[in-house]
Amino acid sequence: LQQIESVNVTEKFQLVLEPLSDIQSLLGSISETALSVLNQATASNSDLCPFMDVYTKEIILSPWDLDRPTDNTEYKIRGNGGSTTSYDRIGMEDDKSYLGRIYSITGLCSDPSDCCIGSSTVPCQSSPYADCDYGANCAYPCEILKAGIIEGYKTVLQLYDIELAMTADLGISCPVGLAGFDDTCPTQDFQAQYANLTLIGLLEDYKGKIIGTKDSL
């Protein structure tokens, strides 16, 4: 009994809690790598695809909130009459539709015939390498990059969801109130499979019971 009474239960449990804090730090980086890859595409800034956007987790769910130096794209957009497009969100446009719009850059004429900015004029002709979005000889060198941006964005969102859910289940902090999180701490799935308390909550509960048992001896 004397040995039990001399044990500092809180101190012993702290040895378990400290590694969980390290795990939380790792959870916070789950989506970082995918976001970094996404930014390589959205900030590629090549001659053909002059994209210069760098996103952060804080605005990833609302890409229209990114602080940009101009109100409109500096390049022309497909299907927009040879014009640029606004960086503002249009109506109730969702995030993926928004990215699809602002990165849908016009193509280049590989041949002057059957190539122009969309028109019902026949024949459709332009100069070689002129901007285009219509015709058999209009090539779209940035289309693959745009598709990669959309898929990369979806991956970031998936990993961000996992990051938030695991954070909620761990219990070091609770992401309730953060954009994109509409669950509880712990998540409903965790409660259905394990317990109504987070991992930290379970440890604290167990610690309380150990202390209670110790004090009753």
Side-chain angles (χ1 to χ4, degrees), residues 37-52:
V37 172
L38 174 66
N39 281 328
Q40 289 179 30
T42 59
S44 54
N45 195 23
S46 65
D47 290 338
L48 292 176
C49 312
F51 306 146
M52 296 184 291

Side-chain angles (χ1 to χ4, degrees), residues 14-28 170-173 200:
Q14 193 60 35
L15 296 175
V16 179
L17 292 172
E18 285 177 1
L20 294 181
S21 296
D22 294 336
I23 291 174
Q24 179 58 58
S25 297
L26 291 174
L27 290 181
L170 181 59
I172 295 289
S173 62
I200 294 295

Side-chain angles (χ1 to χ4, degrees), residues 88-143:
D88 289 337
R89 183 185 188 187
I90 297 177
M92 295 303 293
E93 190 175 38
D94 65 34
D95 46 3
K96 298 172 194 65
S97 297
Y98 172 84
L99 294 176
R101 173 171 61 85
I102 67 169
Y103 297 122
S104 189
I105 192 169
T106 51
L108 296 173
C109 288
S110 58
D111 187 279
S113 64
D114 197 9
C115 183
C116 61
I117 292 293
S119 172
S120 59
T121 303
V122 179
C124 175
Q125 289 187 323
S126 294
S127 303
Y129 308 116
D131 293 328
C132 61
D133 61 2
Y134 181 85
N137 292 318
C138 184
Y140 302 97
C142 298
E143 195 65 15

Side-chain angles (χ1 to χ4, degrees), residues 3-205:
Q3 279 186 321
I4 294 175
E5 288 175 356
S6 66
V7 173
N8 187 325
V9 175
T10 299
E11 185 178 89
K12 296 298 182 182
F13 267 84
Q14 193 60 35
L15 296 175
V16 179
L17 292 172
E18 285 177 1
L20 294 181
S21 296
D22 294 336
I23 291 174
Q24 179 58 58
S25 297
L26 291 174
L27 290 181
S29 65
I30 286 177
S31 61
E32 289 292 346
T33 300
L35 181 59
S36 177
V37 172
L38 174 66
N39 281 328
Q40 289 179 30
T42 59
S44 54
N45 195 23
S46 65
D47 290 338
L48 292 176
C49 312
F51 306 146
M52 296 184 291
D53 299 329
V54 177
Y55 296 98
T56 63
K57 282 203 287 190
E58 287 70 28
I59 55 91
I60 195 62
L61 297 177
S62 53
W64 42 81
D65 287 334
L66 180 64
D67 186 21
R68 296 178 171 94
T70 60
D71 293 332
N72 291 356
T73 59
E74 296 185 12
Y75 43 84
K76 298 172 185 176
I77 296 296
R78 289 180 65 175
N80 203 35
S83 298
T84 61
T85 191
S86 172
Y87 279 125
D88 289 337
R89 183 185 188 187
I90 297 177
M92 295 303 293
E93 190 175 38
D94 65 34
D95 46 3
K96 298 172 194 65
S97 297
Y98 172 84
L99 294 176
R101 173 171 61 85
I102 67 169
Y103 297 122
S104 189
I105 192 169
T106 51
L108 296 173
C109 288
S110 58
D111 187 279
S113 64
D114 197 9
C115 183
C116 61
I117 292 293
S119 172
S120 59
T121 303
V122 179
C124 175
Q125 289 187 323
S126 294
S127 303
Y129 308 116
D131 293 328
C132 61
D133 61 2
Y134 181 85
N137 292 318
C138 184
Y140 302 97
C142 298
E143 195 65 15
I144 293 177
L145 182 59
K146 183 189 81 170
I149 288 173
I150 301 300
E151 290 306 310
Y153 180 75
K154 291 177 182 177
T155 299
V156 171
L157 294 190
Q158 290 171 354
L159 293 176
Y160 187 54
D161 285 345
I162 293 171
E163 183 180 308
L164 292 178
M166 294 179 73
T167 295
D169 293 338
L170 181 59
I172 295 289
S173 62
C174 181
V176 167
L178 290 182
F181 186 76
D182 57 359
D183 210 323
T184 57
C185 294
T187 60
Q188 295 296 315
D189 283 346
F190 187 90
Q191 293 182 49
Q193 295 183 58
Y194 304 108
N196 292 330
L197 297 175
T198 64
L199 291 175
I200 294 295
L202 289 170
L203 281 172
E204 291 291 349
D205 182 61

